[in-house]
Amino acid sequence: MRTNLTSQISMNNVSTRYYKPENAVERSVITRFEKITTNIFESMDEGTQHISDEIIAKIQDRQREGKFCTIALGTGSSLRPLFTELIRRHKDEGVSFRNVILFNLYEFYPVNEGAGSTFSHLMKQFISQVDIDRQNIFTMEGSIPQDAIIDHCRLYEQRIQTFGGIDIAILGIGRKGIIGMNEPGSQASSSTRLILLDSTSRSEAAHNLGVDNLPPCSITMGIKTILGARKVFLLAWGEDKAEIIRKTVEEKITDTLPASYLQMHTNAVVCTDLAAAAYLTRIQRPWLVTNCEWNNKLIRSAIVWLCQTLGKPILKLTNKDYNDNGLSELLALYGSAYNVNIKVFNDLQHTITGWPGGKPNADDTYRPERAKPFPKRVIVFSPHPDDDVISMGGTLRRLVQQGHEVHVAYQTSGNIAVGDEEVVRFMHFINGFNQLFDDNQNQTISDKYAEIKKFFAEKKEGDMDSRDILTIKGLIRRGEARTACTYNNIPLSRCHFLDLPFYETGKIEKNPISLPDIEIVLNLLREVKPHQIYVAGDLADPHGTHRVCTDAVFAAIDEEKNAGAEWLKDCRIWMYRGAWAEWEIENIEMAVPLSPEELRAKRNSILKHQSQMESAPFLGNDERLFWQRSEDRNRGTASLYDGLGLACYEAMEAFVEYKPL
């Protein structure tokens, strides 16, 4: 059973010429904006195999010379696939790491008994599964006294030099461009030192390590130490890394983006998959560096870019505009700017529909959705109990109002996103209700109320909630979801709480997707036999839950397809995005316009989820509330269409169709 189908989604069919040039001359042409050597692979698996080959070749060269190979290594999601591949080579192919000297890139401080320790994770994920000699492994100490840190860091640097410096440094990259744990503001001359972490770095690292909280500081190798390595690999996988990779590789060196210092290294290599390379010029704007293999999406992307660059709507673009901006090939293909303009204008116009379920008794030749059958059975899969209204609340209401049978499937309980004060508030109400109206004074309620108050009074940062408290938090979110469904006129009988098991760990780190998760989704699909399915398309979801939930749906659909299910032949699958980002306009296949009244109704739907307002734990550095992010995104999409010369709406929700492999 395939359980990672989201990793195979590619929004654009990128020509291999753009990421696998045939020769050095062609490479120099298409990479003219890149200041660091960047190798782009079709997939993360291909990339990790290639990097493993290079690392193992260096280790074995040193073995033949009778020398050590010194490697600096961190932790994080980008490095885990590499660890998996190196472990496989060790176990299946007999690759030995006996001559490896390993230096940990960073350690959190202060660390007590290994909690939140990067070294303990490095041991678990890699070191303990290969044959590196334990005496050849070095790490910073996260528990030393504060007044000993300076000497400790100096000795760490001296030890690196004792082994002749670092042969290979293997890095990931944070959302703010940090390498090691060098925060923005780090200098190129910095060495191993103690550094204070900001909230973004802490939350990202906590998520990567699967812990709920981390110490406020880190002891990290400095920029100078990393640049002293003879070879540096920077690994990045997935579209959530695309923007930071573009800045690192193509923009100027700046201390606000520590990874950009790698431009100073003569043997640094950035390794990405196509998703992480998506914003590099040769991938996103290939017409600026070479001749193109034009397709409809690339043409749409080029014209939208040209409009935004010049501040013109599509139908006002001229031949001169095309010639002056590297798009003369399109004039040769289509004869004139007018012909290209009309093509792209009509293409975008046909994505707009007020009938997301299809308009009955209408010509659907140029509509995103088919007219028949009508009404349709629809399932909206919502990873958390508010993603349905945050991401597509206007479309959801429109589907109901237009007579379709709409089901909402809440895939997880969302319990870890409920603050403790919400539990106290609800328990206070229940206990008060019990005292006022129950003459028998139900002792279970009183005892549970006292137990929970005591638990919270003694709870320390990072402590896991009890199973009872997690259950109550799940009930709070269920109640809010039911209220929102009722507000949107969805019968509660069509409100499904799947409570997928992978989520129920009580902490940030979740279990891998498994057969029970998929079977729960599969049973619902077989029961409803939908004509339309809506799923989360947040492939860059910062918390991962959206992606896992979508993988569960796609795996279930894959099973049904292999089984020859008849209902699936008449079903379309639409991907929405949430509060974090919108689909690029070249990829949008259905745009549902919202009036001011509909946008206000969507806001009211989101506000039904009161526990997710100010107290939601995953708002990050973005101070906007979820309804504000959602409205800004929807208005931004409408503004983009308006700027291109199409109809002007208050807001728009956008979708991309998923076609099962």
Side-chain angles (χ1 to χ4, degrees), residues 139-317:
T139 184
M140 304 86 167
E141 294 293 336
S143 57
I144 60 172
Q146 194 167 341
D147 58 5
I149 289 176
I150 293 176
D151 286 341
H152 180 69
C153 293
R154 180 176 52 79
L155 290 171
Y156 202 70
E157 290 281 344
Q158 288 178 357
R159 182 159 284 162
I160 291 171
Q161 296 310 313
T162 299
F163 289 98
I166 296 168
D167 290 308
I168 304 172
I170 306 171
L171 315 173
I173 182 170
R175 277 181 281 164
K176 297 179 68 175
I178 66 172
I179 50 175
M181 272 293 160
N182 291 282
E183 289 278 357
S186 297
Q187 298 300 304
S189 59
S190 60
S191 58
T192 301
R193 68 205 188 283
L194 181 70
I195 192 167
L196 180 67
L197 303 178
D198 78 358
S199 59
T200 299
S201 300
R202 286 184 69 202
S203 67
E204 185 176 15
H207 176 68
N208 286 335
L209 295 176
V211 296
D212 292 313
N213 68 305
L214 282 176
C217 300
S218 173
I219 302 174
T220 181
M221 278 191 192
I223 301 295
K224 181 181 178 181
T225 314
I226 292 170
L227 294 181
R230 284 175 276 279
K231 176 89 176 212
V232 177
F233 289 103
L234 178 67
L235 280 55
W237 319 113
E239 66 176 56
D240 58 317
K241 297 296 177 70
E243 180 59 24
I244 200 66
I245 286 297
R246 183 195 65 78
K247 290 179 178 178
T248 297
V249 171
E250 294 191 348
E251 292 190 356
K252 294 180 180 179
I253 297 173
T254 171
D255 63 2
T256 62
L257 186 68
S260 67
Y261 285 124
L262 294 178
Q263 295 178 23
M264 300 164 58
H265 200 288
T266 58
N267 198 18
V269 180
V270 173
C271 299
T272 77
D273 57 5
L274 276 169
Y279 293 163
L280 294 178
T281 300
R282 58 170 151 150
I283 303 298
Q284 189 180 35
R285 314 283 184 230
W287 56 86
L288 295 177
V289 293
T290 188
N291 59 310
C292 294
E293 297 177 10
W294 294 101
N295 57 40
N296 288 336
K297 281 192 175 181
L298 189 59
I299 292 171
R300 191 199 288 191
S301 177
I303 302 314
V304 170
W305 168 81
L306 184 58
C307 289
Q308 293 174 326
T309 300
L310 300 178
K312 285 186 174 183
I314 294 171
L315 297 179
K316 287 189 177 182
L317 296 174

Side-chain angles (χ1 to χ4, degrees), residues 14 17-21 27 30-31 33-34 37-40 250 279-286 289-290:
V14 179
R17 288 179 48 244
Y18 306 152
Y19 62 94
K20 290 185 178 178
R27 183 182 181 92
I30 66 172
T31 61
F33 292 111
E34 297 173 18
T37 300
T38 303
N39 293 334
I40 303 171
E250 294 191 348
Y279 293 163
L280 294 178
T281 300
R282 58 170 151 150
I283 303 298
Q284 189 180 35
R285 314 283 184 230
V289 293
T290 188

